[in-house]
Amino acid sequence: MAKNKHGGKKPEQVDDSFGSVLQVGPGFRLADLDPAATPGFSGKKKDAEKAMDAARDEIDDLQERLYAGGRDGDGPAILLVVQGMDTSGKGGVMRHVVGTVDPQGVRLHAFKAPSVEERRHPFLWRIRRELPPPGYIGVFDRSHYEDVLVVRVHDLVPPATWRRRYDQINSFERSANDRGIHLIKVMLHISSGEQKARLQERLDRPDKYWKFNPGDIDERERWDDYQQAYQAVFDKTSTEQNPWYAVPADHKWYARLAVQQLLLEELRGLDLHWPGPDFDVAEQQRRLAAT
Amino acid sequence: MAKNKHGGKKPEQVDDSFGSVLQVGPGFRLADLDPAATPGFSGKKKDAEKAMDAARDEIDDLQERLYAGGRDGDGPAILLVVQGMDTSGKGGVMRHVVGTVDPQGVRLHAFKAPSVEERRHPFLWRIRRELPPPGYIGVFDRSHYEDVLVVRVHDLVPPATWRRRYDQINSFERSANDRGIHLIKVMLHISSGEQKARLQERLDRPDKYWKFNPGDIDERERWDDYQQAYQAVFDKTSTEQNPWYAVPADHKWYARLAVQQLLLEELRGLDLHWPGPDFDVAEQQRRLAAT
């Protein structure tokens, strides 16, 4: 644990580390997770906002150390992978969690349906190119997991192909670890009823029309298939080294706090120090004084 | 001017638009601009912070409209170009101005010394690739202007080559305008004394060592050459269509406010509206209700 001036204090309503309560372990059933729950946090919306504000300085400090450590081309990086059904709040996490981190140290990439060129390559090709360099916090809004989610639900490749991908993903992620990349894999879990309400809002408010796509309802009709596909993702790719975190997301304020705290806990665990000078400080002070 | 719910109100200490007071017009002399001045603003640090906070909701709203308008592959984009001597506060602008904008709508690129591959191409090749798509706010931390600044000061190419570049830049920027890209070109202007103090701080504080490079002092020794090269940039590339803004930057709080307000004024000028639906709203409402 990094010992910095912030001392790693938990907000008072936080009962335990978010990592330990949200981690997907053996036997985890997505169907049993209440999307309206707030595991590990006994506060309300206002408390969550205060807790998020309170964490900002520490994240700022740790992120800058991370970035500084990457300057010479090694040192660790973080990759935050965010998955979830339409309207589950991925955009809000980008805006309200990722958006509070210094943009100079962030590499955010939103994966859309693959282009013609991307489809000519193995599915991990376009993912590998977006991995964060040392010192950066990479953020994936959707990811390689779409290749075993939408692809599986819609039979976009033969079953034998997507079945192989779970192992390929595990070994890809281990190779990312070997390069110093620490993954935080987050699934925002909403209820079907909450999704309906959020889609309804996009159809009711002219300033939200642009976020709506008739295809969202097609996907909604496959709700159960997607839940099954997510369960398979958890069963096969929540490993000890690269676990998933299942975040109840019917309360946007809880999901944002949880993702922020997962990021903070990961940063703390890196034990980040300021790099020493690679020059003679006294000599440079003399040179500067002479100008 | 966009008429939105925020009404485009100026903070009270803002005397006039920042664009009009900071714009580099004919006869402008950089040497005559006081780096400690706060043109157009009669407040102090605290007032500037309040003014920045007060502008955030409006920027949020306008940025989201800009982004929404880019969804169908056309619509305008913004490109904020930030130049300035070492320690002039480019990083602070990235962190405190760009960092308050939704990261999903921002494309930030820091240009370093060109790579071997980049040097094989014309100087604008790597710049063109980073132009923002419709709907985005592109941000350049350094830019194509380095090709008539550091390159000119250090004779990295023959004089005939860099002399041609001013016209090439003007025509490149006009072609970006034709693609809907609105440029905001900002030069952060610090005094030599302020730079000395900021470099000194990097040598005094172990948490700042990583920001220091002995080369910064080499560059500092060419201070006058750089000031001349910036003057030439203003003389030749501050056009009516793509003007420069010279921002006094000895007060970090002023420079950040000024850049934020320049961005806000540009966004207001785009007269941004929410795009209409490209689907039948009533039909989609019926479909959703049936799920």
Side-chain angles (χ1 to χ4, degrees):
Chain A
M1 202 104 129
K3 287 191 189 69
N4 60 49
K5 61 183 169 181
H6 311 283
K9 194 164 60 76
K10 284 188 305 185
E12 51 185 301
Q13 294 88 356
V14 176
D15 308 319
D16 202 347
S17 93
F18 280 83
S20 62
V21 295
L22 298 175
Q23 185 166 336
V24 170
F28 171 87
R29 304 295 312 160
L30 182 59
D32 297 338
L33 178 63
D34 178 4
T38 61
F41 190 70
S42 51
K44 298 287 173 199
K45 184 176 179 179
K46 287 263 177 245
D47 308 310
E49 285 163 1
K50 269 186 219 155
M52 286 189 74
D53 281 344
R56 251 162 229 168
D57 283 351
E58 188 180 357
I59 290 182
D60 244 22
D61 177 70
L62 293 175
Q63 183 273 330
E64 194 174 1
R65 289 166 190 249
L66 178 72
Y67 186 76
R71 266 294 166 102
D72 53 359
D74 54 18
I78 283 180
L79 176 58
L80 174 65
V81 172
V82 184
Q83 286 286 158
M85 301 291 288
D86 288 327
T87 78
S88 60
K90 297 185 292 296
V93 164
M94 299 305 143
R95 190 166 180 153
H96 299 283
V97 181
V98 179
T100 63
V101 179
D102 185 344
Q104 297 174 99
V106 170
R107 291 281 174 93
L108 167 60
H109 192 83
F111 288 95
K112 311 288 179 194
S115 66
V116 173
E117 194 201 352
E118 287 169 348
R119 269 192 303 250
R120 275 197 213 106
H121 294 273
F123 76 104
L124 291 169
W125 178 79
R126 65 174 187 157
I127 309 297
R128 201 169 269 125
R129 307 170 65 181
E130 302 295 340
L131 287 175
Y136 282 83
I137 298 177
V139 183
F140 286 177
D141 176 353
R142 303 186 186 271
S143 67
H144 43 301
Y145 285 98
E146 291 298 325
D147 294 290
V148 288
L149 289 165
V150 61
V151 165
R152 168 178 166 151
V153 168
H154 287 278
D155 296 316
L156 301 181
V157 300
T161 302
W162 59 252
R163 278 198 197 106
R164 268 198 304 274
R165 288 184 175 172
Y166 300 101
D167 281 345
Q168 291 168 337
I169 286 173
N170 287 336
S171 102
F172 166 69
E173 292 181 353
R174 280 194 306 270
S175 75
N177 299 153
D178 293 342
R179 285 172 52 182
I181 299 173
H182 297 251
L183 276 84
I184 309 170
K185 305 190 291 188
V186 165
M187 189 263 185
L188 303 177
H189 180 49
I190 53 167
S191 62
S192 170
E194 180 65 21
Q195 188 192 54
K196 191 169 188 170
R198 293 183 187 179
L199 287 172
Q200 189 65 56
E201 193 186 21
R202 293 182 181 181
L203 287 168
D204 287 344
R205 288 176 47 179
D207 63 330
K208 299 267 188 187
Y209 287 163
W210 69 278
K211 292 188 174 186
F212 181 85
N213 185 316
D216 297 346
I217 298 182
D218 304 334
E219 297 308 295
R220 178 170 168 73
E221 286 163 351
R222 312 265 195 146
W223 184 270
D224 293 340
D225 296 341
Y226 273 104
Q227 300 296 306
Q228 266 181 36
Y230 270 109
Q231 182 65 50
V233 162
F234 293 142
D235 293 343
K236 293 170 198 294
T237 68
S238 194
T239 63
E240 209 169 309
Q241 211 172 335
N242 293 299
W244 273 96
Y245 300 97
V247 177
D250 274 6
H251 295 297
K252 290 177 182 176
W253 55 264
Y254 172 77
R256 290 169 190 172
L257 171 66
V259 177
Q260 187 212 40
Q261 296 287 319
L262 289 170
L263 175 62
L264 176 56
E265 290 169 12
E266 190 68 41
L267 281 164
R268 281 181 187 154
L270 295 179
D271 194 18
L272 298 159
H273 300 281
W274 295 109
D278 53 2
F279 48 85
D280 180 329
V281 176
E283 181 197 340
Q284 297 302 324
Q285 282 173 329
R286 277 192 302 275
R287 285 187 69 209
L288 180 61
T291 63
Chain B
M1 205 96 133
K3 287 192 188 68
N4 60 49
K5 60 183 171 179
H6 312 284
K9 195 163 60 74
K10 284 187 307 187
E12 52 185 302
Q13 294 89 353
V14 175
D15 307 318
D16 201 348
S17 93
F18 280 83
S20 62
V21 294
L22 297 175
Q23 185 167 337
V24 170
F28 171 87
R29 303 294 313 160
L30 183 59
D32 297 338
L33 178 64
D34 177 3
T38 62
F41 190 71
S42 51
K44 298 287 174 199
K45 185 175 179 179
K46 286 262 176 243
D47 308 309
E49 285 164 2
K50 269 186 220 155
M52 286 189 75
D53 281 343
R56 250 161 230 171
D57 283 351
E58 187 180 356
I59 290 182
D60 245 21
D61 176 70
L62 293 174
Q63 183 273 329
E64 195 174 1
R65 289 165 190 248
L66 178 72
Y67 186 75
R71 267 292 164 105
D72 53 359
D74 54 18
I78 283 179
L79 176 58
L80 174 65
V81 172
V82 183
Q83 286 285 159
M85 301 292 287
D86 287 328
T87 77
S88 61
K90 298 185 291 295
V93 163
M94 299 306 142
R95 188 166 181 155
H96 299 283
V97 181
V98 178
T100 62
V101 179
D102 185 346
Q104 297 174 98
V106 169
R107 292 280 175 95
L108 168 60
H109 192 83
F111 288 95
K112 311 287 179 194
S115 66
V116 173
E117 194 202 351
E118 287 169 347
R119 269 193 302 253
R120 277 198 211 106
H121 293 274
F123 76 104
L124 291 169
W125 178 79
R126 65 175 187 155
I127 309 296
R128 201 170 269 123
R129 306 171 67 182
E130 302 295 340
L131 287 174
Y136 283 82
I137 298 176
V139 183
F140 286 177
D141 176 354
R142 304 188 186 269
S143 66
H144 43 302
Y145 285 99
E146 292 297 325
D147 294 289
V148 287
L149 289 164
V150 62
V151 166
R152 170 177 164 151
V153 168
H154 287 277
D155 295 316
L156 302 181
V157 299
T161 302
W162 59 253
R163 279 199 197 104
R164 269 197 304 273
R165 289 183 173 173
Y166 300 101
D167 282 345
Q168 290 167 337
I169 286 173
N170 287 335
S171 103
F172 166 70
E173 292 182 354
R174 280 193 307 271
S175 74
N177 299 152
D178 293 342
R179 287 172 53 182
I181 299 173
H182 297 251
L183 277 83
I184 309 171
K185 304 190 293 189
V186 165
M187 189 263 184
L188 302 178
H189 180 49
I190 53 168
S191 62
S192 170
E194 180 66 20
Q195 189 192 54
K196 191 169 187 169
R198 293 183 187 180
L199 287 173
Q200 189 64 55
E201 193 185 20
R202 293 181 182 182
L203 287 168
D204 288 344
R205 288 177 47 179
D207 62 330
K208 300 268 188 187
Y209 286 163
W210 68 278
K211 291 188 175 188
F212 181 86
N213 186 316
D216 297 347
I217 297 183
D218 304 334
E219 297 307 294
R220 177 170 168 74
E221 286 164 351
R222 312 266 195 145
W223 183 272
D224 293 340
D225 295 341
Y226 273 104
Q227 300 295 305
Q228 266 181 37
Y230 270 109
Q231 182 65 48
V233 161
F234 292 142
D235 292 343
K236 293 170 199 293
T237 69
S238 194
T239 63
E240 208 168 310
Q241 213 172 332
N242 294 301
W244 274 96
Y245 299 98
V247 177
D250 274 5
H251 294 298
K252 290 176 181 175
W253 55 264
Y254 172 77
R256 291 169 190 173
L257 172 67
V259 176
Q260 186 212 42
Q261 296 287 317
L262 288 170
L263 175 61
L264 175 57
E265 291 169 12
E266 192 68 41
L267 281 164
R268 282 182 187 152
L270 296 179
D271 194 17
L272 298 159
H273 301 280
W274 296 110
D278 54 1
F279 49 84
D280 180 330
V281 175
E283 181 198 339
Q284 298 302 324
Q285 281 171 330
R286 277 192 304 273
R287 286 187 68 208
L288 179 62
T291 63

